[in-house]
Amino acid sequence: MSTSTPDERLRRWRLVLGGAAAEGTGRALSGADAAMDAALAALYDGGEERDGGGGRRGGLGGSAPSVARWLGDIRTYFPASVVQVMQRDAIDRLGLATLLLEPETLEAVEPDVHLVGTLLSLNQALPETTRETARAVVRKVVADLEARLAPRTRATVTGALDRSARIARPRHRDIDWDRTLRANLKNHLPEHGTVVPERLIGRGRASRAVRKEIVLCVDQSGSMAASVVYAAVFGAVLASLKAVATRLVVFDTAVVDLTEELDDPVDVLFGTRLGGGTDINRALAYCQSRITRPADTVLVLVSDLYEGGIRGGTPKRIAAMRAAGVRCVALLALSDEGARAYDREHAAALAALGVPAFACTPDLFPEVMAAALENRPLPVPDTV
């Protein structure tokens, strides 16, 4: 229960409700509270700020300096998580995206995944004076994501690769005696002081480690912006593992192979083109043509499954790859927000093929990849 005083509660309600006469608190604001209220009013009160007499005047205005000042204000008065929400609302409500083309505005924003998605959607329109600033913003977000996600991803996927590399009928020099003894303790013969190794467990030698191929096939339509950002980061992390051959393919109505750019996820992101239509079947056909070792390949389709190409082609293509031995994973989103909307008919068709389609958070993704590499059931969230 809150221990705030009645005056403090009144102050908070005043900030929540705004300053219109109908809100009824009668609470006056001054100092930092008044500045905070003005920042909120500029965004949420129809894009207008209060003048001294309680009337209304223009909100953020149409210039980069006024927006930059507002961005500085909200960073002063609100925590980063709230700033990111307010920025997102400003992009949606007040056309802030257009002013992100100005370096002064861009330097004032709080970088986050959604801002990166907006910048990528504006990529073709970015003037040269803003492009380097935009790359710096994107690079900061990518670096933060890599620092958070890379260590666990490498550890989890490497462990899965090590387990999948064990061989069932090893040669003598490849026997893992420690695991073999533990697996055969039930065959202990105490009278002979020995264990009968009925089942040998081997581990591939490092120089002969089993290689896996991972294909990330990512929808770059406008609704998938956050998923594209996370896919680029995970693609770069996976590509850094020597035991894995990783391919990254992005698509709308066209298909672009960005595998050669995977050493720098920022280059990957600026190689995408958010927006446009969707042709999932065409993208899967391209990925299928590049798979050389089906039994050792995991294909991850990241898409909301809204198909603008051949209707029904996606399930048929997935079925053909599965029949050849490819392990297929369908992610409706790769983000913290989940899937806002998706084609339920296509999702049901994939589920009928044994490929459940579900939204995956970045924290869950390493476990999904490990399960796919080991050919065990995927950790599908209960909310699916």
Side-chain angles (χ1 to χ4, degrees):
M1 296 294 291
S2 172
T3 58
S4 61
T5 65
D7 184 67
E8 174 63 13
R9 289 196 294 272
L10 196 63
R11 167 185 169 271
R12 293 181 183 182
W13 274 113
R14 169 62 180 77
L15 287 169
V16 169
L17 295 173
E23 52 87 8
T25 65
R27 178 70 153 78
L29 298 177
S30 61
D33 284 347
M36 187 185 305
D37 187 52
L40 290 167
L43 175 57
Y44 296 113
D45 288 353
E48 299 175 334
E49 295 176 12
R50 279 174 208 84
D51 61 24
R56 301 283 179 171
R57 58 184 175 82
L60 294 181
S63 69
S66 64
V67 173
R69 284 194 296 273
W70 179 80
L71 289 167
D73 287 344
I74 65 173
R75 292 175 74 171
T76 299
Y77 298 118
F78 302 98
S81 58
V82 176
V83 169
Q84 291 170 6
V85 172
M86 294 180 72
Q87 286 179 174
R88 213 175 309 160
D89 288 346
I91 290 171
D92 294 337
R93 297 164 64 99
L94 303 179
L96 179 59
T98 303
L99 289 174
L100 290 176
L101 301 178
E102 299 288 341
E104 187 174 358
T105 305
L106 197 51
E107 290 171 355
V109 294
E110 182 74 25
D112 72 335
V113 169
H114 298 281
L115 176 63
V116 170
T118 301
L119 290 175
L120 296 180
S121 68
L122 297 171
N123 186 15
Q124 303 303 315
L126 288 174
E128 287 303 318
T129 54
T130 306
R131 191 167 293 276
E132 285 307 310
T133 306
R135 288 186 70 90
V137 170
V138 173
R139 189 169 296 281
K140 181 181 186 306
V141 173
V142 167
D144 290 344
L145 291 177
E146 284 187 310
R148 176 167 71 91
L149 301 172
R152 182 162 170 263
T153 301
R154 290 194 181 100
T156 303
V157 172
T158 299
L161 291 169
D162 288 344
R163 288 187 292 273
S164 66
R166 295 171 194 163
I167 49 182
R169 294 183 178 179
R171 291 173 295 183
H172 186 272
R173 62 184 179 182
D174 293 330
I175 295 174
D176 186 327
W177 287 109
D178 183 57
R179 289 190 175 90
T180 294
L181 287 173
R182 279 184 284 169
N184 289 277
L185 286 177
K186 63 180 180 179
N187 299 322
H188 180 218
L189 301 178
E191 64 275 19
H192 297 288
T194 189
V195 171
V196 177
E198 189 176 77
R199 182 167 68 92
L200 297 177
I201 297 176
R203 180 172 51 208
R205 299 165 67 187
S207 61
R208 300 182 182 182
V210 175
R211 289 185 61 85
K212 295 285 185 178
E213 296 183 9
I214 297 174
V215 180
L216 300 177
C217 185
V218 184
D219 187 341
Q220 64 174 353
S221 59
S223 61
M224 302 296 294
S227 297
V228 171
V229 176
Y230 282 114
V233 172
F234 279 118
V237 173
L238 293 171
S240 70
L241 301 177
K242 294 181 179 179
V244 176
T246 303
R247 181 178 296 275
L248 175 64
V249 175
V250 298
F251 67 92
D252 43 31
T253 53
V255 179
V256 181
D257 193 327
L258 294 174
T259 304
E260 297 301 319
E261 309 294 333
L262 276 175
D263 59 332
D264 187 345
V266 176
D267 286 343
V268 168
L269 289 172
F270 277 95
T272 62
R273 186 185 62 190
L274 291 177
T278 310
D279 194 337
I280 305 172
N281 183 61
R282 183 177 182 181
L284 289 176
Y286 174 84
C287 294
Q288 187 178 20
S289 72
R290 295 300 186 271
I291 294 174
T292 58
R293 302 168 56 198
D296 293 323
T297 299
V298 174
L299 179 135
V300 182
L301 172 64
V302 183
S303 174
D304 55 18
L305 301 180
Y306 286 113
E307 176 65 274
I310 301 175
R311 185 71 183 178
T314 295
K316 292 180 181 177
R317 190 75 62 179
I318 292 288
M321 285 191 279
R322 278 178 53 82
V326 178
R327 183 73 190 273
C328 298
V329 178
L331 302 181
L332 301 170
L334 179 54
S335 69
D336 290 307
E337 287 74 33
R340 296 182 180 179
Y342 61 95
D343 190 313
R344 296 181 181 277
E345 182 180 337
H346 262 150
L350 295 184
L353 295 173
V355 182
F358 59 97
C360 178
T361 65
D363 289 334
L364 180 62
F365 184 75
E367 298 296 337
V368 170
M369 287 307 309
L373 289 167
E374 294 182 71
N375 200 29
R376 54 182 171 83
L378 301 178
V380 179
D382 293 336
T383 55
V384 175

